Amino acid sequence: MNVLSDNFAEFREGFLKTVELTAYSGLLALLLGTLIAAFRVSPVPALRAFGTAWVTLLRNTPLVLLFLTVTLGLPALGLKGWDDFWLAVLALGSYTSAFICEAVRSGINTVPVGQAEAARSIGMTFSQTLGQVVLPQAVRTAIPPIGSLMIALAKNTAIASGFNVGELASVQKGLNSDQGYNIYVIFLWIALCYLVITFAISGLFRLLENRLAVVR
């Protein structure tokens, strides 16, 4: 217990930074993923091609390589001045958006085609049909896989510790190198912190799933 009590401020700061990183990255992933899913079912060939390329590229790119591309590539293109935290949000959110896209698209495919045809027959545009008829139903089906993806995102934030972001995984570096604590005890407390975060995400999405199930 002395590892936690003696260094509670460091653990608290790392825990809060991980929660913050997960929240911002998750929000970006949800927005981008839903947009790319709309592109993938769009009647416009160029948008479908862009959506397919986005998903194919990001789903088959290692996350560490994406971090390197963002942290080294953006400054090389002249986009300097970004904080390391927001670069990590961009990398994590973009990576996860490809998986969110496929979860949302799978939900869209569960909506009967007749509903979209009926919406178009009364003069609704594609965006109106998607936003008002298809997506509200698709989201209910997509909630369980999205919840799993958010849990994976929370664990993936550990990679940000290698890119100067002071989240949970970075706590062990300072404690182990500066103060000589037992590394196994440090990792145990860090693992418990991640467990709290993932349990909270799981409970939130289970609640959403139950609430939407009542609406059905």
Side-chain angles (χ1 to χ4, degrees):
M1 284 296 293
N2 64 315
V3 174
L4 179 63
S5 59
D6 293 347
N7 304 279
F8 184 76
E10 288 83 354
F11 277 98
R12 180 187 61 193
E13 184 67 23
F15 180 87
L16 294 177
K17 185 64 70 174
T18 296
V19 171
E20 188 179 2
L21 185 58
T22 301
Y24 282 119
S25 301
L27 179 59
L28 177 61
L30 288 171
L31 293 175
L32 271 179
T34 303
L35 179 63
I36 299 299
F39 284 0
R40 295 211 66 186
V41 298
S42 169
V44 181
L47 293 180
R48 290 202 305 273
F50 178 85
T52 301
W54 180 278
V55 170
T56 302
L57 178 63
L58 291 179
R59 288 185 72 184
N60 294 284
T61 300
L63 182 53
V64 173
L65 180 58
L66 185 57
F67 263 94
L68 287 171
T69 301
V70 169
T71 55
L72 300 179
L74 291 184
L77 293 174
L79 300 174
K80 301 179 180 180
W82 281 54
D83 183 78
D84 291 326
F85 175 84
W86 293 110
L87 289 174
V89 168
L90 180 60
L92 287 165
S94 299
Y95 178 79
T96 309
S97 71
F99 298 90
I100 296 290
C101 167
E102 292 303 276
V104 173
R105 189 168 71 94
S106 296
I108 291 174
N109 290 335
T110 64
V111 179
V113 178
Q115 296 196 25
E117 293 176 345
R120 286 195 295 270
S121 70
I122 61 174
M124 295 180 71
T125 64
F126 169 76
S127 58
Q128 289 174 329
T129 301
L130 185 65
Q132 299 178 30
V133 178
V134 178
L135 274 181
Q137 300 178 71
V139 166
R140 297 175 184 173
T141 305
I143 281 180
I146 288 177
S148 297
L149 291 171
M150 289 295 115
I151 290 174
L153 169 62
K155 293 183 287 187
N156 284 340
T157 58
I159 296 177
S161 66
F163 295 87
N164 300 319
V165 179
E167 48 76 67
L168 266 174
S170 67
V171 172
Q172 63 86 19
K173 296 180 182 178
L175 297 185
N176 188 50
S177 60
D178 297 341
Q179 303 182 38
Y181 287 108
N182 188 317
I183 191 171
Y184 297 108
V185 177
I186 297 171
F187 277 129
L188 174 62
W189 283 113
I190 291 175
L192 289 174
C193 289
Y194 277 112
L195 195 63
V196 170
I197 294 173
T198 55
F199 271 23
I201 295 173
S202 177
L204 173 63
F205 276 87
R206 190 178 299 113
L207 177 63
L208 287 174
E209 186 179 0
N210 292 337
R211 289 290 297 272
L212 290 176
V214 173
V215 177
R216 291 183 189 179

